[in-house]
Amino acid sequence: MVVLGLDETQGFAPTGLPDPARLAADLGSMCSEDMEPPLRPLIKVHDFEGAQILVAEVPELDPARKPCYSRGAGITKGSYVRVCDGDRRLSAYEVQMMLSSRGQPREDEQTVSGVGLDHLDTAMVDALVARLRTSRPYAFKDLDRLAVLRRAKVLVTGDSGEDVASLGGLLALGSYPQEHFPQLMVTFVHYPTETGGRSTERFLDNVTLEGPVPVMVRDTLATVRRNMSRRAVVGVRAGRTSGSTQRPLCVRLSSTHWSTATCPGALEAPKSRSRCTRPPGDP
């Protein structure tokens, strides 16, 4: 809600407006012509304590239409959010998140030109088909192998009408996705110290992990476990017990989040530094 004609410094006392009708018309024109998408606020002039004030009620936009921005500044520089008593420009990341939230993301259904069923790992495809037929029989039980893959969006229709692998299908089930996306990888580096410097050894382990996403997650977990420090605890009743100083579940969640959200994750361990990163320029 926007209220014009009050003085905040005087306890929001009404000061009135010289020409409220013209101000209402100008505000409505600005909302309609200068904003994208156009806004349709409810604008009214009210008599309040002997003065005229203008009140504009701006309804919240549907998530599918956000963000609303100034056309002159553009969507990146013209999108703002109200924080406390000021307006803060949205970052490029925040704008992108709003745009991606406008509907169901479908980036994983993009076609990968020239990639068909023969580029997928047969064992992984068979395991997926069997699991879908067992866990979701209503949707997949009576379908043949190709129909299951089409319904699961592993295969999609290409430009020429043929079955081609989707982006999600290739990344999850491909024999070697790096043939088409060379920068799709996990680079694990284990530094000897927390800061990574002032040591005669540059690193203790340096591994590049490739393959489909499930294989990269599996190999990442194995690599992290191999580089984890271990401890032993001797108790009066339990005796000697040993285990790692980190929780494998946390490592798995971090690795899976990186692979599904295609964003870099960081895995750090005490007295060493281990990173899971993407090369620069990876989309």
Side-chain angles (χ1 to χ4, degrees), residues 66-67 75-76 79 90-100:
K66 292 182 179 179
I75 191 171
T76 302
S79 301
L90 292 177
S91 65
Y93 174 76
E94 291 174 314
V95 172
Q96 185 60 40
M97 289 301 296
M98 282 191 174
L99 294 177
S100 63

Side-chain angles (χ1 to χ4, degrees), residues 110-120 154-156 158 162-167 169-171 173-177 179-181:
Q110 295 178 10
T111 61
V112 183
S113 180
V115 178
L117 185 59
D118 55 330
H119 289 81
L120 305 182
V154 175
L155 297 178
V156 293
E162 77 284 6
D163 286 332
V164 297
S166 65
L167 177 61
L170 177 63
L171 298 187
L173 303 173
S175 300
Y176 187 62
E179 178 181 358
H180 307 278
F181 300 96

